[in-house]
mmCIF file of all heavy atoms in Angstrom:
data_model
loop_
_atom_site.group_PDB
_atom_site.id
_atom_site.type_symbol
_atom_site.label_atom_id
_atom_site.label_comp_id
_atom_site.label_asym_id
_atom_site.label_seq_id
_atom_site.Cartn_x
_atom_site.Cartn_y
_atom_site.Cartn_z
ATOM 1 N N GLU A 4 -50.490 10.951 -29.649
ATOM 2 C CA GLU A 4 -49.302 11.590 -29.097
ATOM 3 C C GLU A 4 -49.785 12.919 -28.533
ATOM 4 O O GLU A 4 -50.003 13.877 -29.282
ATOM 5 C CB GLU A 4 -48.235 11.769 -30.175
ATOM 6 C CG GLU A 4 -47.789 10.421 -30.747
ATOM 7 C CD GLU A 4 -46.631 10.560 -31.728
ATOM 8 O OE1 GLU A 4 -45.736 11.397 -31.460
ATOM 9 O OE2 GLU A 4 -46.632 9.843 -32.732
ATOM 10 N N GLU A 5 -49.980 12.943 -27.230
ATOM 11 C CA GLU A 5 -50.685 14.053 -26.589
ATOM 12 C C GLU A 5 -50.051 15.400 -26.913
ATOM 13 O O GLU A 5 -48.838 15.553 -26.905
ATOM 14 C CB GLU A 5 -50.763 13.824 -25.079
ATOM 15 C CG GLU A 5 -51.627 12.612 -24.725
ATOM 16 C CD GLU A 5 -52.029 12.574 -23.269
ATOM 17 O OE1 GLU A 5 -52.277 13.637 -22.690
ATOM 18 O OE2 GLU A 5 -52.111 11.456 -22.716
ATOM 19 N N ASN A 6 -50.936 16.352 -27.227
ATOM 20 C CA ASN A 6 -50.574 17.724 -27.606
ATOM 21 C C ASN A 6 -49.909 17.812 -28.983
ATOM 22 O O ASN A 6 -49.475 18.884 -29.391
ATOM 23 C CB ASN A 6 -49.665 18.375 -26.566
ATOM 24 C CG ASN A 6 -50.304 18.410 -25.193
ATOM 25 O OD1 ASN A 6 -51.508 18.589 -25.079
ATOM 26 N ND2 ASN A 6 -49.502 18.229 -24.152
ATOM 27 N N LEU A 7 -49.851 16.684 -29.704
ATOM 28 C CA LEU A 7 -49.277 16.698 -31.054
ATOM 29 C C LEU A 7 -50.271 16.190 -32.091
ATOM 30 O O LEU A 7 -50.660 16.924 -32.990
ATOM 31 C CB LEU A 7 -47.991 15.855 -31.099
ATOM 32 C CG LEU A 7 -46.759 16.446 -30.409
ATOM 33 C CD1 LEU A 7 -45.607 15.447 -30.441
ATOM 34 C CD2 LEU A 7 -46.348 17.754 -31.067
ATOM 35 N N LYS A 8 -50.682 14.930 -31.958
ATOM 36 C CA LYS A 8 -51.561 14.374 -32.983
ATOM 37 C C LYS A 8 -52.359 13.202 -32.434
ATOM 38 O O LYS A 8 -51.858 12.425 -31.611
ATOM 39 C CB LYS A 8 -50.755 13.921 -34.203
ATOM 40 C CG LYS A 8 -51.606 13.659 -35.441
ATOM 41 C CD LYS A 8 -50.725 13.505 -36.675
ATOM 42 C CE LYS A 8 -51.584 13.452 -37.936
ATOM 43 N NZ LYS A 8 -50.759 13.377 -39.155
ATOM 44 N N LEU A 9 -53.601 13.091 -32.907
ATOM 45 C CA LEU A 9 -54.500 12.003 -32.541
ATOM 46 C C LEU A 9 -55.081 11.431 -33.827
ATOM 47 O O LEU A 9 -55.525 12.183 -34.699
ATOM 48 C CB LEU A 9 -55.614 12.531 -31.631
ATOM 49 C CG LEU A 9 -56.739 11.576 -31.218
ATOM 50 C CD1 LEU A 9 -56.194 10.400 -30.431
ATOM 51 C CD2 LEU A 9 -57.785 12.334 -30.383
ATOM 52 N N VAL A 10 -55.066 10.107 -33.958
ATOM 53 C CA VAL A 10 -55.530 9.461 -35.187
ATOM 54 C C VAL A 10 -56.575 8.396 -34.862
ATOM 55 O O VAL A 10 -56.381 7.566 -33.972
ATOM 56 C CB VAL A 10 -54.357 8.810 -35.949
ATOM 57 C CG1 VAL A 10 -54.862 8.089 -37.206
ATOM 58 C CG2 VAL A 10 -53.319 9.859 -36.339
ATOM 59 N N PHE A 11 -57.689 8.435 -35.590
ATOM 60 C CA PHE A 11 -58.714 7.397 -35.545
ATOM 61 C C PHE A 11 -58.775 6.731 -36.920
ATOM 62 O O PHE A 11 -58.549 7.380 -37.944
ATOM 63 C CB PHE A 11 -60.097 7.969 -35.230
ATOM 64 C CG PHE A 11 -60.196 8.721 -33.936
ATOM 65 C CD1 PHE A 11 -61.089 9.790 -33.818
ATOM 66 C CD2 PHE A 11 -59.433 8.366 -32.838
ATOM 67 C CE1 PHE A 11 -61.194 10.494 -32.624
ATOM 68 C CE2 PHE A 11 -59.536 9.065 -31.643
ATOM 69 C CZ PHE A 11 -60.417 10.129 -31.543
ATOM 70 N N ARG A 12 -59.101 5.440 -36.944
ATOM 71 C CA ARG A 12 -59.306 4.725 -38.204
ATOM 72 C C ARG A 12 -60.739 4.236 -38.298
ATOM 73 O O ARG A 12 -61.445 4.097 -37.298
ATOM 74 C CB ARG A 12 -58.342 3.528 -38.296
ATOM 75 C CG ARG A 12 -56.877 3.896 -38.474
ATOM 76 C CD ARG A 12 -56.599 4.575 -39.806
ATOM 77 N NE ARG A 12 -56.984 3.752 -40.935
ATOM 78 C CZ ARG A 12 -56.150 2.905 -41.556
ATOM 79 N NH1 ARG A 12 -54.898 2.773 -41.140
ATOM 80 N NH2 ARG A 12 -56.558 2.200 -42.580
ATOM 81 N N ARG A 13 -61.159 3.961 -39.505
ATOM 82 C CA ARG A 13 -62.527 3.506 -39.767
ATOM 83 C C ARG A 13 -62.813 2.197 -39.047
ATOM 84 O O ARG A 13 -61.999 1.284 -39.027
ATOM 85 C CB ARG A 13 -62.701 3.316 -41.274
ATOM 86 C CG ARG A 13 -64.104 2.942 -41.715
ATOM 87 C CD ARG A 13 -64.142 2.805 -43.238
ATOM 88 N NE ARG A 13 -65.502 2.727 -43.737
ATOM 89 C CZ ARG A 13 -66.187 1.600 -43.908
ATOM 90 N NH1 ARG A 13 -65.603 0.440 -43.617
ATOM 91 N NH2 ARG A 13 -67.418 1.629 -44.373
ATOM 92 N N ASN A 14 -64.000 2.120 -38.434
ATOM 93 C CA ASN A 14 -64.486 0.874 -37.845
ATOM 94 C C ASN A 14 -65.251 0.111 -38.922
ATOM 95 O O ASN A 14 -66.386 0.464 -39.254
ATOM 96 C CB ASN A 14 -65.390 1.182 -36.649
ATOM 97 C CG ASN A 14 -66.041 -0.064 -36.062
ATOM 98 O OD1 ASN A 14 -65.647 -1.184 -36.371
ATOM 99 N ND2 ASN A 14 -67.047 0.140 -35.209
ATOM 100 N N ASP A 15 -64.636 -0.908 -39.478
ATOM 101 C CA ASP A 15 -65.245 -1.658 -40.590
ATOM 102 C C ASP A 15 -66.487 -2.443 -40.165
ATOM 103 O O ASP A 15 -67.259 -2.891 -41.021
ATOM 104 C CB ASP A 15 -64.218 -2.618 -41.194
ATOM 105 C CG ASP A 15 -63.084 -1.886 -41.898
ATOM 106 O OD1 ASP A 15 -63.331 -0.779 -42.426
ATOM 107 O OD2 ASP A 15 -61.958 -2.395 -41.904
ATOM 108 N N ASP A 16 -66.663 -2.601 -38.862
ATOM 109 C CA ASP A 16 -67.805 -3.372 -38.363
ATOM 110 C C ASP A 16 -68.903 -2.482 -37.788
ATOM 111 O O ASP A 16 -69.770 -2.968 -37.046
ATOM 112 C CB ASP A 16 -67.332 -4.358 -37.281
ATOM 113 C CG ASP A 16 -66.308 -5.352 -37.819
ATOM 114 O OD1 ASP A 16 -66.525 -5.869 -38.928
ATOM 115 O OD2 ASP A 16 -65.297 -5.599 -37.127
ATOM 116 N N TYR A 17 -68.885 -1.191 -38.144
ATOM 117 C CA TYR A 17 -69.870 -0.278 -37.569
ATOM 118 C C TYR A 17 -71.283 -0.660 -38.006
ATOM 119 O O TYR A 17 -71.513 -1.070 -39.151
ATOM 120 C CB TYR A 17 -69.559 1.159 -37.979
ATOM 121 C CG TYR A 17 -70.392 2.179 -37.250
ATOM 122 C CD1 TYR A 17 -70.361 2.259 -35.858
ATOM 123 C CD2 TYR A 17 -71.239 3.045 -37.934
ATOM 124 C CE1 TYR A 17 -71.144 3.183 -35.172
ATOM 125 C CE2 TYR A 17 -72.012 3.983 -37.253
ATOM 126 C CZ TYR A 17 -71.970 4.041 -35.872
ATOM 127 O OH TYR A 17 -72.746 4.948 -35.198
ATOM 128 N N PHE A 18 -72.243 -0.484 -37.104
ATOM 129 C CA PHE A 18 -73.582 -1.039 -37.305
ATOM 130 C C PHE A 18 -74.541 -0.133 -38.072
ATOM 131 O O PHE A 18 -75.555 -0.602 -38.584
ATOM 132 C CB PHE A 18 -74.215 -1.401 -35.955
ATOM 133 C CG PHE A 18 -74.389 -0.236 -35.006
ATOM 134 C CD1 PHE A 18 -75.591 0.447 -34.928
ATOM 135 C CD2 PHE A 18 -73.339 0.173 -34.185
ATOM 136 C CE1 PHE A 18 -75.755 1.517 -34.050
ATOM 137 C CE2 PHE A 18 -73.496 1.228 -33.294
ATOM 138 C CZ PHE A 18 -74.699 1.909 -33.230
ATOM 139 N N GLU A 19 -74.294 1.173 -38.159
ATOM 140 C CA GLU A 19 -75.237 2.068 -38.822
ATOM 141 C C GLU A 19 -74.965 2.141 -40.324
ATOM 142 O O GLU A 19 -73.821 2.038 -40.773
ATOM 143 C CB GLU A 19 -75.168 3.469 -38.220
ATOM 144 C CG GLU A 19 -75.789 3.572 -36.835
ATOM 145 C CD GLU A 19 -75.939 5.015 -36.375
ATOM 146 O OE1 GLU A 19 -74.926 5.666 -36.081
ATOM 147 O OE2 GLU A 19 -77.089 5.483 -36.319
ATOM 148 N N THR A 20 -76.041 2.388 -41.084
ATOM 149 C CA THR A 20 -75.936 2.563 -42.536
ATOM 150 C C THR A 20 -76.618 3.871 -42.922
ATOM 151 O O THR A 20 -77.372 4.456 -42.135
ATOM 152 C CB THR A 20 -76.604 1.398 -43.289
ATOM 153 O OG1 THR A 20 -77.986 1.328 -42.915
ATOM 154 C CG2 THR A 20 -75.914 0.079 -42.964
ATOM 155 N N ASP A 21 -76.365 4.304 -44.163
ATOM 156 C CA ASP A 21 -77.045 5.507 -44.629
ATOM 157 C C ASP A 21 -78.444 5.158 -45.139
ATOM 158 O O ASP A 21 -78.886 4.003 -45.040
ATOM 159 C CB ASP A 21 -76.212 6.254 -45.671
ATOM 160 C CG ASP A 21 -76.001 5.464 -46.961
ATOM 161 O OD1 ASP A 21 -76.745 4.482 -47.197
ATOM 162 O OD2 ASP A 21 -75.106 5.818 -47.745
ATOM 163 N N SER A 22 -79.137 6.128 -45.698
ATOM 164 C CA SER A 22 -80.540 5.942 -46.071
ATOM 165 C C SER A 22 -80.754 4.924 -47.178
ATOM 166 O O SER A 22 -81.874 4.425 -47.358
ATOM 167 C CB SER A 22 -81.148 7.286 -46.497
ATOM 168 O OG SER A 22 -80.425 7.829 -47.593
ATOM 169 N N VAL A 23 -79.701 4.612 -47.924
ATOM 170 C CA VAL A 23 -79.839 3.616 -49.002
ATOM 171 C C VAL A 23 -79.097 2.326 -48.684
ATOM 172 O O VAL A 23 -78.894 1.477 -49.552
ATOM 173 C CB VAL A 23 -79.357 4.194 -50.359
ATOM 174 C CG1 VAL A 23 -80.269 5.318 -50.806
ATOM 175 C CG2 VAL A 23 -77.908 4.657 -50.294
ATOM 176 N N GLY A 24 -78.673 2.186 -47.426
ATOM 177 C CA GLY A 24 -78.078 0.926 -46.998
ATOM 178 C C GLY A 24 -76.569 0.839 -47.085
ATOM 179 O O GLY A 24 -75.992 -0.213 -46.779
ATOM 180 N N ASN A 25 -75.891 1.919 -47.487
ATOM 181 C CA ASN A 25 -74.424 1.900 -47.526
ATOM 182 C C ASN A 25 -73.850 1.966 -46.117
ATOM 183 O O ASN A 25 -74.353 2.692 -45.260
ATOM 184 C CB ASN A 25 -73.893 3.084 -48.337
ATOM 185 C CG ASN A 25 -74.282 3.009 -49.795
ATOM 186 O OD1 ASN A 25 -74.224 1.943 -50.408
ATOM 187 N ND2 ASN A 25 -74.706 4.131 -50.353
ATOM 188 N N LYS A 26 -72.774 1.219 -45.897
ATOM 189 C CA LYS A 26 -72.159 1.183 -44.577
ATOM 190 C C LYS A 26 -71.513 2.527 -44.249
ATOM 191 O O LYS A 26 -70.936 3.188 -45.112
ATOM 192 C CB LYS A 26 -71.101 0.069 -44.503
ATOM 193 C CG LYS A 26 -71.695 -1.334 -44.411
ATOM 194 C CD LYS A 26 -70.612 -2.402 -44.316
ATOM 195 C CE LYS A 26 -69.844 -2.321 -43.014
ATOM 196 N NZ LYS A 26 -70.694 -2.688 -41.839
ATOM 197 N N LEU A 27 -71.641 2.925 -42.993
ATOM 198 C CA LEU A 27 -70.983 4.121 -42.488
ATOM 199 C C LEU A 27 -69.782 3.690 -41.640
ATOM 200 O O LEU A 27 -69.763 2.576 -41.123
ATOM 201 C CB LEU A 27 -71.961 4.941 -41.635
ATOM 202 C CG LEU A 27 -73.196 5.497 -42.354
ATOM 203 C CD1 LEU A 27 -74.146 6.140 -41.344
ATOM 204 C CD2 LEU A 27 -72.801 6.504 -43.415
ATOM 205 N N PRO A 28 -68.782 4.552 -41.510
ATOM 206 C CA PRO A 28 -68.620 5.878 -42.110
ATOM 207 C C PRO A 28 -68.030 5.782 -43.516
ATOM 208 O O PRO A 28 -67.567 4.717 -43.930
ATOM 209 C CB PRO A 28 -67.630 6.556 -41.149
ATOM 210 C CG PRO A 28 -66.760 5.423 -40.685
ATOM 211 C CD PRO A 28 -67.669 4.235 -40.575
ATOM 212 N N TYR A 29 -68.012 6.911 -44.225
ATOM 213 C CA TYR A 29 -67.433 6.950 -45.566
ATOM 214 C C TYR A 29 -65.920 7.175 -45.514
ATOM 215 O O TYR A 29 -65.191 6.712 -46.396
ATOM 216 C CB TYR A 29 -68.066 8.071 -46.395
ATOM 217 C CG TYR A 29 -69.575 7.994 -46.510
ATOM 218 C CD1 TYR A 29 -70.367 9.085 -46.180
ATOM 219 C CD2 TYR A 29 -70.216 6.841 -46.960
ATOM 220 C CE1 TYR A 29 -71.750 9.043 -46.288
ATOM 221 C CE2 TYR A 29 -71.594 6.781 -47.072
ATOM 222 C CZ TYR A 29 -72.363 7.888 -46.739
ATOM 223 O OH TYR A 29 -73.729 7.820 -46.837
ATOM 224 N N LEU A 30 -65.458 7.908 -44.528
ATOM 225 C CA LEU A 30 -64.037 8.231 -44.408
ATOM 226 C C LEU A 30 -63.245 7.028 -43.911
ATOM 227 O O LEU A 30 -63.772 6.129 -43.254
ATOM 228 C CB LEU A 30 -63.841 9.390 -43.422
ATOM 229 C CG LEU A 30 -64.460 10.737 -43.787
ATOM 230 C CD1 LEU A 30 -64.487 11.643 -42.553
ATOM 231 C CD2 LEU A 30 -63.669 11.397 -44.921
ATOM 232 N N GLU A 31 -61.939 7.044 -44.199
ATOM 233 C CA GLU A 31 -61.041 6.002 -43.702
ATOM 234 C C GLU A 31 -60.369 6.391 -42.394
ATOM 235 O O GLU A 31 -59.984 5.528 -41.608
ATOM 236 C CB GLU A 31 -59.956 5.686 -44.744
ATOM 237 C CG GLU A 31 -60.435 4.819 -45.895
ATOM 238 C CD GLU A 31 -60.789 3.407 -45.441
ATOM 239 O OE1 GLU A 31 -60.215 2.928 -44.445
ATOM 240 O OE2 GLU A 31 -61.660 2.787 -46.084
ATOM 241 N N ALA A 32 -60.206 7.692 -42.161
ATOM 242 C CA ALA A 32 -59.475 8.104 -40.961
ATOM 243 C C ALA A 32 -59.832 9.530 -40.568
ATOM 244 O O ALA A 32 -60.326 10.320 -41.378
ATOM 245 C CB ALA A 32 -57.962 7.986 -41.195
ATOM 246 N N VAL A 33 -59.547 9.846 -39.305
ATOM 247 C CA VAL A 33 -59.672 11.200 -38.766
ATOM 248 C C VAL A 33 -58.334 11.560 -38.141
ATOM 249 O O VAL A 33 -57.773 10.774 -37.364
ATOM 250 C CB VAL A 33 -60.785 11.291 -37.695
ATOM 251 C CG1 VAL A 33 -60.848 12.698 -37.114
ATOM 252 C CG2 VAL A 33 -62.125 10.879 -38.288
ATOM 253 N N SER A 34 -57.816 12.728 -38.497
ATOM 254 C CA SER A 34 -56.523 13.178 -37.982
ATOM 255 C C SER A 34 -56.710 14.523 -37.276
ATOM 256 O O SER A 34 -57.197 15.481 -37.869
ATOM 257 C CB SER A 34 -55.517 13.314 -39.130
ATOM 258 O OG SER A 34 -54.289 13.835 -38.667
ATOM 259 N N ILE A 35 -56.321 14.576 -36.004
ATOM 260 C CA ILE A 35 -56.516 15.771 -35.185
ATOM 261 C C ILE A 35 -55.153 16.309 -34.755
ATOM 262 O O ILE A 35 -54.343 15.566 -34.187
ATOM 263 C CB ILE A 35 -57.366 15.456 -33.934
ATOM 264 C CG1 ILE A 35 -58.683 14.779 -34.341
ATOM 265 C CG2 ILE A 35 -57.639 16.727 -33.129
ATOM 266 C CD1 ILE A 35 -59.455 14.176 -33.181
ATOM 267 N N THR A 36 -54.913 17.592 -35.017
ATOM 268 C CA THR A 36 -53.692 18.253 -34.558
ATOM 269 C C THR A 36 -54.028 19.197 -33.401
ATOM 270 O O THR A 36 -55.196 19.426 -33.103
ATOM 271 C CB THR A 36 -53.018 19.032 -35.695
ATOM 272 O OG1 THR A 36 -53.996 19.907 -36.301
ATOM 273 C CG2 THR A 36 -52.472 18.095 -36.758
ATOM 274 N N PHE A 37 -52.995 19.757 -32.772
ATOM 275 C CA PHE A 37 -53.207 20.527 -31.546
ATOM 276 C C PHE A 37 -52.462 21.853 -31.556
ATOM 277 O O PHE A 37 -51.731 22.179 -30.617
ATOM 278 C CB PHE A 37 -52.798 19.684 -30.333
ATOM 279 C CG PHE A 37 -53.643 18.458 -30.150
ATOM 280 C CD1 PHE A 37 -53.244 17.240 -30.683
ATOM 281 C CD2 PHE A 37 -54.845 18.515 -29.480
ATOM 282 C CE1 PHE A 37 -54.023 16.107 -30.535
ATOM 283 C CE2 PHE A 37 -55.641 17.390 -29.324
ATOM 284 C CZ PHE A 37 -55.229 16.178 -29.860
ATOM 285 N N LEU A 38 -52.653 22.638 -32.612
ATOM 286 C CA LEU A 38 -52.126 23.998 -32.598
ATOM 287 C C LEU A 38 -52.807 24.767 -31.477
ATOM 288 O O LEU A 38 -54.033 24.701 -31.334
ATOM 289 C CB LEU A 38 -52.393 24.681 -33.934
ATOM 290 C CG LEU A 38 -51.516 24.238 -35.109
ATOM 291 C CD1 LEU A 38 -52.087 24.754 -36.412
ATOM 292 C CD2 LEU A 38 -50.097 24.731 -34.922
ATOM 293 N N PRO A 39 -52.068 25.533 -30.687
ATOM 294 C CA PRO A 39 -52.626 26.071 -29.449
ATOM 295 C C PRO A 39 -53.496 27.315 -29.570
ATOM 296 O O PRO A 39 -54.059 27.753 -28.577
ATOM 297 C CB PRO A 39 -51.372 26.369 -28.627
ATOM 298 C CG PRO A 39 -50.326 26.668 -29.648
ATOM 299 C CD PRO A 39 -50.619 25.765 -30.806
ATOM 300 N N ASP A 40 -53.603 27.927 -30.745
ATOM 301 C CA ASP A 40 -54.429 29.135 -30.823
ATOM 302 C C ASP A 40 -55.210 29.161 -32.125
ATOM 303 O O ASP A 40 -54.868 28.513 -33.112
ATOM 304 C CB ASP A 40 -53.571 30.402 -30.691
ATOM 305 C CG ASP A 40 -52.597 30.546 -31.839
ATOM 306 O OD1 ASP A 40 -52.975 31.158 -32.841
ATOM 307 O OD2 ASP A 40 -51.465 30.028 -31.739
#
């Protein structure tokens, strides 16, 4: 919702892993707000 909020969710099929083989990313979501200052 432009100028209000942007949401991303985890890509369960992402190809990269960490150094011990755990799937990345660790987070489930990213939430971005747009306060102007």
Side-chain angles (χ1 to χ4, degrees):
E4 299 185 39
E5 294 196 36
N6 302 324
L7 288 175
K8 195 168 188 177
L9 175 61
V10 178
F11 302 149
R12 290 294 302 268
R13 184 179 192 270
N14 175 14
D15 293 329
D16 299 316
Y17 189 59
F18 61 96
E19 287 191 289
T20 59
D21 64 17
S22 59
V23 294
N25 295 318
K26 285 181 67 68
L27 297 173
Y29 304 127
L30 297 165
E31 283 293 332
V33 178
S34 176
I35 306 168
T36 52
F37 296 94
L38 285 167
D40 64 90

